[in-house]
Amino acid sequence: MAFPLPPDWVNPATLQVLGAVVAVSLVGPVVARFLRRTPSVKFQVALPEEASPGWKGGELLKNPSIQDPTRPGQIICYDPSTGRHLATIRAHTKADVDVALIRARKAQAKWAKTTFAQRKVVLQSLLDFILQNQESICRVAARDTGKTMVDGKFGEILTTCERIRWTLAYGEDALKDEYRDPGLLMFYKSAKVEYRPMGVVAALVSWNYPFHNTFGPLITALFAGNGILIKASEQVAWSTTTYFAKIIRTCLEACGHDPELVQFLVGFQECGEAVVKSGVEGITFIGSPQVGAKVATAASTNLTPCVLELGGKDVAIVNKDVDLNAVVPILMRGVFQNCGQNCIGLERIIVHESLHDKLVEMTGSRIKQLKQGPPLEVENIDCGSMTMSGRSDALEALIQDAVKSGATLVHGGERFIHPQFPHGQFFTPTLITNLKSNMKIAQEEAFAPIMAIFKFSTVEEAIALANSTPYALGSNVFSRNQKEGQYIMDHLRVGMSNLNDFGVNYLCQSLPFGGVGISGYGRFGGPEGLRAVCHQRSITVDRWPMLIQTFLPPVLQYPMTNVGDAIVVTRDLVNIIYAGWVGRVKSVFEIVKVIAVGANEPEVL
């Protein structure tokens, strides 16, 4: 029976109420999940003296390097923005890796039995520590890599906090048993996928974000029930061993768990190779394609599954219809964040020819004003230093090669000698244009503060330029025409893409992160990242065990008395499930006949 609505039911007040109901129903669960509070345990970790405000100690090294040929087993740790010596640390060896794996396996056997609720307490405690110690974490990262405090807030703190938030809110859902359709043939079975801990996994991570690159895989591994070996880059051995390692180990202990669950290793090639070949159940590697290929080859000895994130040559395609006043600030952050040392940093800007000159003018004026220096020694710094020694030689050669091939160098292109810290590892923020896809600078990952601008005249030309490199990690498209922007994105050979923004896919931690081509394979982040460090088990059980279970009729039981009858029965069984209705009915009667009196059909040989 229908109930007529009053004629005046559609009025502003009613619509407001309906709108509020819809909004609450849609947004309410999200807000409730966001505000849900997990218990937390407080803990403290002392800040290293070298990261304390006002610290001016440490010998100023001339031409610093992390390796001293006279001391091959030692890592020389120094501030790359000043050359100040921080510490000399013993490089770990294969023997250290073997011991670390034994300890992690023992702790993981207990950790695997913890509940998601217990694991969430650890992550919430870690999150609270990070929030309360943001400055300390950024100062330690800045001291070891030369990055600015703002770069640290973006790349070390914000990303890690979001990884924890997403894992707390959605990690359990991603790893709970997932029920699947058993199909008509197995209608009486319940089918599901279980996600179980691998055991002990390993992460070999790069130096550009020493806190986040360490804690990202750590968060994922622990929540999935694993132990983990973290092989940090020797470039950041000081921050890893003196502070970052202590944070998670202290956190675990404060929450009542074995700190040996997480093992930190720093060393040279021997250490990395030992980790890969150690027998861990899974490997995540963040680094170059050259080293990534070696990791994959070494891991194949034990058939160890790998997730490889191997850098990129990411683009920003700037269409002719954009507002440069809105886009230029995003491009500047995309290029010069962390002094260009980002796997998804903007290595190539492909701009429509009608906007090229204006873009060069606007970015050029800003780039020339960028202030560079040691972030913990000089105020108001925009760009810090290069973390690795010797990079300036390679970058200058890359720029010179492009200029010889017809490129226009607008600004920079050479190392910067700081007047107070001449041994700091600085490279001048650079703007270069009139580039072609066959130049080295268009094909090799620079990982540097270099804005490289290309021109295009048609959308198809822009797509071809973007796809002209073997790297295929991320991409960014700027266009007011949403349809055209989406068209461009759809034709890019990449693992990730953003419309009218830069790199925000990584702040959407529900999304997987990774590339194709020589940018690697596998994914971390999102449900895919959590499941990548799990054994996936396919399980079936009887749906109604007291009513129906699998039963083989005598005609199909070994030893078979009449193979011809068995062939008829199996044929008709297939038809019952997959044929049309006429075929199904016919097959039912044939099966009943065979079971009752036999088909008496000879076996065809």
Side-chain angles (χ1 to χ4, degrees):
M1 179 178 180
F3 294 91
L5 292 169
D8 61 344
W9 79 276
V10 180
N11 57 65
T14 303
L15 291 177
Q16 287 178 0
V17 171
L18 288 175
V21 170
V22 171
V24 169
S25 64
L26 294 176
V27 179
V30 176
V31 174
R33 187 187 290 263
F34 184 78
L35 295 177
R36 186 182 303 157
R37 180 69 180 178
T38 299
S40 174
V41 178
K42 290 186 178 181
F43 64 95
Q44 296 294 327
V45 178
L47 179 68
E49 178 188 1
E50 295 83 356
S52 300
W55 182 78
K56 304 292 183 182
E59 176 188 357
L60 286 172
L61 304 177
K62 296 181 179 180
N63 301 316
S65 173
I66 60 170
Q67 283 188 284
D68 182 345
T70 64
R71 294 184 290 172
Q74 303 291 318
I75 302 173
I76 313 301
C77 305
Y78 64 93
D79 179 343
S81 69
T82 62
R84 292 189 190 279
H85 181 247
L86 301 176
T88 299
I89 296 173
R90 184 179 70 85
H92 290 129
T93 64
K94 181 182 182 302
D96 297 301
V97 173
D98 293 340
V99 172
L101 182 57
I102 292 172
R103 291 174 176 171
R105 286 206 188 285
K106 182 179 179 181
Q108 191 273 334
K110 295 178 289 184
W111 178 253
K113 299 175 184 178
T114 57
T115 64
F116 284 122
Q118 290 173 301
R119 298 171 196 174
K120 287 180 180 179
V121 170
V122 173
L123 293 193
Q124 185 65 58
S125 302
L126 177 60
L127 177 58
D128 289 346
F129 177 89
I130 294 171
L131 294 174
Q132 295 164 9
N133 295 273
Q134 294 182 48
E135 301 299 318
S136 296
I137 292 169
C138 289
R139 291 188 67 86
V140 170
R143 182 64 78 189
D144 212 10
T145 66
K147 66 163 57 26
T148 68
M149 293 291 285
V150 173
D151 289 341
K153 290 295 180 67
F154 273 121
E156 308 284 10
I157 303 299
L158 183 61
T159 50
T160 306
C161 289
E162 181 58 19
R163 172 70 64 89
I164 297 175
R165 184 208 66 82
W166 182 87
T167 305
L168 287 170
Y170 299 102
E172 186 173 353
D173 290 341
L175 297 181
K176 68 183 180 182
D177 294 352
E178 183 180 359
Y179 286 86
R180 305 284 180 86
D181 175 22
L184 182 58
L185 182 64
M186 291 287 108
F187 74 95
Y188 61 96
K189 294 288 185 180
S190 177
K192 66 178 180 178
V193 180
E194 294 180 344
Y195 300 96
R196 298 294 179 261
M198 278 186 163
V200 176
V201 298
L204 296 88
V205 295
S206 58
W207 44 262
N208 54 332
Y209 290 102
F211 180 74
H212 177 70
N213 286 350
T214 293
F215 278 76
L218 182 157
I219 290 161
T220 298
L222 295 193
F223 194 78
N226 297 302
I228 187 169
L229 306 186
I230 299 285
K231 195 286 178 185
S233 168
E234 57 272 23
Q235 300 286 342
V236 290
W238 175 77
S239 58
T240 300
T241 58
T242 63
Y243 192 56
F244 298 152
K246 293 178 181 179
I247 291 174
I248 186 59
R249 290 174 66 87
T250 304
C251 177
L252 284 166
E253 194 166 22
C255 294
H257 304 290
D258 191 345
E260 301 293 347
L261 184 66
V262 181
Q263 298 289 321
F264 288 85
L265 298 154
V266 291
F268 299 112
Q269 183 174 343
E270 176 193 357
C271 179
E273 290 179 351
V275 171
V276 173
K277 297 179 180 179
S278 64
V280 291
E281 279 70 38
I283 295 171
T284 297
F285 173 78
I286 304 173
S288 70
Q290 295 75 22
V291 179
K294 294 179 180 179
V295 169
T297 300
S300 68
T301 303
N302 295 323
L303 296 180
T304 306
C306 295
V307 173
L308 304 179
E309 194 274 274
L310 306 179
K313 195 72 181 170
D314 285 17
V315 297
I317 297 177
V318 182
N319 209 0
K320 60 185 177 182
D321 59 354
V322 305
D323 177 6
L324 287 180
N325 290 316
V327 172
V328 165
I330 299 175
L331 299 181
M332 290 290 293
R333 173 58 62 180
V335 173
F336 297 107
Q337 160 77 19
N338 206 35
C339 221
Q341 298 165 116
N342 304 286
C343 59
I344 55 171
L346 296 183
E347 295 253 340
R348 296 174 296 158
I349 296 175
I350 302 174
V351 60
H352 190 269
E353 58 187 6
S354 65
L355 297 179
H356 175 270
D357 293 349
K358 185 63 175 177
L359 177 65
V360 171
E361 177 188 344
M362 292 178 67
T363 56
S365 64
R366 293 180 181 226
I367 291 170
K368 292 173 183 177
Q369 297 178 57
L370 292 177
K371 300 175 291 294
Q372 195 166 22
L376 299 185
E377 306 272 350
V378 179
E379 294 181 344
N380 298 320
I381 293 300
D382 295 303
C383 294
S385 68
M386 309 304 292
T387 301
M388 292 184 66
S389 62
R391 287 292 296 144
S392 291
D393 291 338
L395 294 174
E396 287 176 345
L398 202 61
I399 297 295
Q400 291 165 9
D401 175 80
V403 171
K404 288 180 182 178
S405 300
T408 301
L409 179 62
V410 179
H411 183 71
E414 61 186 3
R415 70 195 68 202
F416 169 62
I417 307 300
H418 195 279
Q420 293 176 260
F421 300 96
H423 300 293
Q425 298 168 180
F426 299 102
F427 192 81
T428 305
T430 296
L431 176 60
I432 188 168
T433 187
N434 292 324
L435 298 167
K436 305 297 181 183
S437 62
N438 60 354
M439 295 177 179
K440 286 184 179 180
I441 197 171
Q443 297 295 320
E444 299 179 7
E445 185 177 29
F447 224 59
I450 299 174
M451 181 174 282
I453 298 180
F454 301 72
K455 284 190 286 190
F456 75 90
S457 58
T458 68
V459 165
E460 299 305 326
E461 184 184 359
I463 293 170
L465 273 171
N467 290 334
S468 65
T469 168
Y471 288 97
L473 187 58
S475 62
N476 311 270
V477 177
F478 294 86
S479 178
R480 285 183 174 179
N481 186 328
Q482 190 97 351
K483 184 177 180 180
E484 190 165 61
Q486 186 67 56
Y487 174 85
I488 295 172
M489 292 170 64
D490 289 346
H491 289 80
L492 299 180
R493 181 177 174 268
V494 292
M496 304 167 289
S497 199
N498 304 287
L499 184 59
N500 294 321
D501 219 324
F502 153 70
V504 294
N505 58 281
Y506 195 56
L507 290 178
C508 299
Q509 281 291 315
S510 58
L511 295 176
F513 184 96
V516 296
I518 67 169
S519 288
Y521 54 78
R523 296 292 184 268
F524 53 79
E528 294 82 0
L530 276 171
R531 293 171 180 178
V533 292
C534 291
H535 289 307
Q536 301 182 21
R537 305 199 311 162
S538 299
I539 304 295
T540 66
V541 297
D542 292 319
R543 192 186 296 269
W544 307 290
M546 302 300 294
L547 298 177
I548 182 172
Q549 293 181 325
T550 297
F551 170 74
L552 282 178
V555 68
L556 296 178
Q557 294 179 12
Y558 288 121
M560 290 183 288
T561 57
N562 190 321
V563 175
D565 286 356
I567 291 173
V568 171
V569 168
T570 52
R571 179 199 66 199
D572 288 334
L573 179 61
V574 171
N575 288 337
I576 288 172
I577 302 299
Y578 305 108
W581 284 108
V582 174
R584 290 179 179 180
V585 172
K586 180 181 177 182
S587 296
V588 168
F589 282 106
E590 287 184 354
I591 284 183
V592 172
K593 176 185 173 184
V594 171
I595 294 176
V597 299
N600 297 317
E601 290 189 16
E603 181 180 1
V604 179
L605 301 178

